[in-house]
Amino acid sequence: MSLSWILRITRNGSHLFLSHRPSSYGFLLSNNSQSSTRKVFNCRETYSWTVPSFHVFKHQIHHQSSSLVEEQLDPFSLVADELSLVANRLRSMVIAEVPKLASAAEYFFKMGVHGKRFRPTVLLLMATALNVSVLETATGSVGDALTTEPRKRQQSIAEITEMIHVASLLHDDVLDDAETRRGIGSLNLVMGNKVAVLAGDFLLSRACVALASLKNTEVVSLLATAVQHLVTGETMQMTSTSEQRCSMEHYMQKTYYKTASLISNSCKAIALLAGQTTEVAMLAFEYGKNLGLAYQLIDDVLDFTGTSASLGKGSLSDIRHGIVTAPLLFAMEEFPQLRSVIDQGFDKPENIDAALEYLGKSRGIQRTRELAAKHVNLAAAAIDSLPETDDEEVRKSRRALVDLTQRVITRNK
């Protein structure tokens, strides 16, 4: 498999061309000054726009010369106070009249269970990175400062995105018969499949109400598309043929739908609510898309290399459910005989052992990490391409967004 990456800049003109073309699975991204089109199906996406005086760097160059990496930041601490407000509002939003539904809906929003709130962190940082900074107030009250318009509307996107995400986890766990999630018993194990499904539906309904309150049809369309993609991706995974299971193109398309679409469309929504241009909104989308793809690629690596304790779920869970991911797909390119093992399925332990043996002899894990690195480079390039600013808070948030890309590919859980 060959990967080609093209970045071309016309500094005195207005044309930007950014192309990621893994030739064997047709993932394409291009830009020019004439049109703006989007085709996600078959894992092809084409974007075209005019970008006056923007500049794009490959992340390797970025590490050497860009001011965005002047200092190491903790992205989560930058928005810690705001995340606390978002978390409190989330818990209040999932209150239901029926006690059992209420306890089910808030299951993963309780303190100590909610994880690091990766998606809300990305979205709040993106809000500041796009010049919508937290406003100071005369009283100095954090609560007052963090709830001004349009910041509050962007916080709503973070809340909506997290509810959609958790709803998808609840439904996925039912489909996968999962027993653990985030280090504790899955909701379907604790309360049963029916309650888990209804809790997911309830979270989606609450997300819809919050989304409608924004009264922005383009933002509503973006988040509705993300929900549609979640369903489409899960259906692709459940109904894939033998050929599709062994296709990198099918895998990348499914990964975009299941993981990257939600964060990319949410990042774009943040930009739109900030009143940003189409060009800047597309850069926000590109950041989210490539970050999401890299995140899932590393997840797929950790499914083989991680432990149940570090991942918050059982390792080898994908292969035990018959799901073929990037490490095995790359291994199959080196060892075509692995295809027959995959076609037999993984119901038998000896088939899992055989697949793991081929994987161990291959560069499947390494090549998956390399592909994830290419995607985080593109995510960092999107941040580098945002209009220049002297605002230190904006610059700090942009550095944090770039830092997150590296955390994604170096994490072990």
Side-chain angles (χ1 to χ4, degrees):
M1 176 183 299
S2 63
L3 295 172
S4 63
W5 301 79
I6 305 168
L7 286 88
R8 186 176 70 213
I9 306 157
T10 305
R11 289 191 180 276
N12 297 322
S14 61
H15 297 77
L16 171 109
F17 184 87
L18 173 63
S19 176
H20 163 202
R21 292 183 295 189
S23 57
S24 65
Y25 53 88
F27 214 65
L28 176 65
L29 192 69
S30 66
N31 301 281
N32 56 48
S33 62
Q34 298 300 319
S35 62
S36 177
T37 60
R38 177 180 180 190
K39 185 179 181 184
V40 179
F41 196 67
N42 291 331
C43 213
R44 290 182 72 87
E45 294 182 327
T46 302
Y47 298 108
S48 304
W49 67 81
T50 300
V51 187
S53 70
F54 288 177
H55 41 275
V56 179
F57 306 98
K58 279 197 173 182
H59 196 47
Q60 290 87 343
I61 299 174
H62 163 96
H63 261 301
Q64 298 170 19
S65 61
S66 174
S67 62
L68 291 179
V69 288
E70 291 170 354
E71 60 181 283
Q72 285 293 317
L73 298 169
D74 178 5
F76 299 95
S77 67
L78 280 182
V79 292
D81 291 337
E82 205 169 2
L83 277 175
S84 179
L85 289 176
V86 168
N88 289 337
R89 279 208 295 266
L90 277 169
R91 283 189 284 272
S92 67
M93 290 170 73
V94 299
I95 294 174
E97 295 178 9
V98 180
K100 190 164 188 178
L101 179 59
S103 60
E106 69 176 5
Y107 192 69
F108 288 122
F109 293 106
K110 293 181 292 189
M111 296 298 293
V113 179
H114 52 62
K116 271 208 164 185
R117 297 280 192 233
F118 178 77
R119 288 159 189 81
T121 297
V122 169
L123 296 173
L124 295 174
L125 287 171
M126 183 64 74
T128 302
L130 298 180
N131 279 316
V132 183
S133 55
V134 177
L135 302 179
E136 296 293 336
T137 61
T139 62
S141 166
V142 171
D144 292 340
L146 297 178
T147 55
T148 52
E149 296 285 358
R151 188 73 178 201
K152 189 172 182 179
R153 291 162 63 81
Q154 292 175 310
Q155 290 171 353
S156 291
I157 295 296
E159 294 155 10
I160 291 163
T161 299
E162 188 69 0
M163 284 191 285
I164 292 173
H165 172 61
V166 173
S168 73
L169 297 184
L170 296 179
H171 288 164
D172 281 356
D173 286 348
V174 171
L175 293 172
D176 297 340
D177 293 321
E179 296 183 353
T180 60
R181 171 68 69 177
R182 295 178 175 174
I184 63 173
S186 62
L187 184 62
N188 51 296
L189 179 73
V190 175
M191 296 190 179
N193 285 344
K194 291 182 179 179
V195 171
V197 170
L198 290 173
D201 292 346
F202 177 73
L203 290 179
L204 287 175
S205 69
R206 296 300 300 162
C208 288
V209 171
L211 191 55
S213 70
L214 296 176
K215 296 180 172 61
N216 186 309
T217 55
E218 190 170 3
V219 169
V220 170
S221 179
L222 287 172
L223 273 297
T225 297
V227 174
Q228 175 189 329
H229 285 170
L230 284 168
V231 177
T232 301
E234 189 63 41
T235 305
M236 287 174 65
Q237 183 168 286
M238 291 172 56
T239 62
S240 58
T241 64
S242 176
E243 285 297 320
Q244 289 171 332
R245 290 174 71 214
C246 296
S247 163
M248 181 63 83
E249 180 177 359
H250 186 269
Y251 163 83
M252 291 298 292
Q253 181 182 9
K254 178 195 71 174
T255 298
Y256 170 75
Y257 284 152
K258 280 177 61 73
T259 305
S261 176
L262 178 59
I263 189 63
S264 60
N265 281 292
S266 296
C267 282
K268 186 176 180 180
I270 290 287
L272 294 177
L273 290 176
Q276 289 288 353
T277 63
T278 301
E279 292 84 0
V280 171
M282 288 309 305
L283 289 171
F285 178 93
E286 286 305 312
Y287 175 84
K289 184 191 76 172
N290 286 292
L291 187 73
L293 291 172
Y295 193 97
Q296 186 57 51
L297 286 164
I298 296 301
D299 245 17
D300 293 342
V301 166
L302 293 176
D303 196 55
F304 290 104
T305 64
T307 64
S308 181
S310 67
L311 291 176
K313 63 177 182 179
S315 57
L316 300 179
S317 62
D318 285 335
I319 193 172
R320 294 185 193 282
H321 285 93
I323 300 170
V324 180
T325 56
L328 285 181
L329 293 173
F330 282 128
M332 191 169 58
E333 291 181 5
E334 295 180 58
F335 299 98
Q337 55 269 44
L338 175 57
R339 171 66 185 267
S340 64
V341 177
I342 291 174
D343 286 342
Q344 291 174 34
F346 298 111
D347 293 334
K348 298 179 180 179
E350 55 265 33
N351 284 354
I352 294 178
D353 293 339
L356 294 178
E357 183 177 352
Y358 282 121
L359 179 62
K361 293 187 295 184
S362 75
R363 295 181 64 250
I365 295 293
Q366 180 180 344
R367 290 180 67 188
T368 302
R369 288 190 180 278
E370 290 169 357
L371 182 56
K374 292 180 187 296
H375 280 291
V376 298
N377 289 344
L378 284 177
I383 298 301
D384 279 341
S385 301
L386 292 171
E388 293 184 6
T389 178
D390 293 327
D391 188 310
E392 184 53 36
E393 289 304 309
V394 173
R395 292 164 64 87
K396 190 180 294 185
S397 289
R398 292 181 184 182
R399 290 197 299 270
L401 287 170
V402 172
D403 180 81
L404 274 177
T405 67
Q406 295 307 304
R407 289 175 181 244
V408 161
I409 60 172
T410 58
R411 65 194 175 94
N412 60 11
K413 60 181 179 179

